[in-house]
Amino acid sequence: MSDEKYDENIEAMNAFIEKFDEGEGKENDVTFKAVASNLDWNSDDDVKAFFEHCESKEIEGAKDAIAFLYFMHGENEEKFDKILEDMK
């Protein structure tokens, strides 16, 4: 993934996180960072279930953000861990 594409994905993910935290997060007193940190990214079923939950709540950008994180987890766990660490 090019640096430019990576930066675009980070921006889109951050926009999704803001929407998640302002809606679903406030409703359930949880942040996306907390959910992402505790999600088993090795489990396709867990990731799919979380994605479907976000889709059912109509949180814009869920598909791209979750797909990016899933890809990064499989591609480079150190970079993935850094992404989680840097989340708001």
Side-chain angles (χ1 to χ4, degrees):
M1 176 180 302
S2 72
D3 288 343
E4 185 176 318
K5 187 67 175 165
Y6 177 83
D7 290 343
E8 288 174 17
N9 281 304
I10 290 291
E11 285 181 34
M13 181 193 68
N14 286 335
F16 164 75
I17 289 170
E18 187 175 318
K19 290 174 190 151
F20 181 93
D21 287 351
E22 289 298 314
E24 183 69 5
K26 274 190 178 176
E27 268 181 45
N28 294 301
D29 197 29
V30 67
T31 64
F32 179 78
K33 181 176 183 172
V35 173
S37 295
N38 291 298
L39 186 67
D40 182 359
W41 291 94
N42 291 311
S43 170
D44 292 345
D45 290 339
D46 287 0
V47 174
K48 183 178 178 185
F50 179 59
F51 164 71
E52 289 173 349
H53 173 78
C54 291
E55 285 285 291
S56 74
K57 297 291 185 171
E58 298 179 350
I59 306 170
E60 187 179 328
K63 181 179 179 181
D64 292 336
I66 295 169
F68 169 68
L69 287 169
Y70 182 75
F71 171 79
M72 289 307 301
H73 182 266
E75 189 70 18
N76 184 332
E77 277 201 54
E78 283 182 28
K79 204 168 198 175
F80 174 82
D81 290 343
K82 178 78 171 121
I83 291 168
L84 289 182
E85 183 181 308
D86 289 346
M87 281 182 188
K88 298 175 186 176

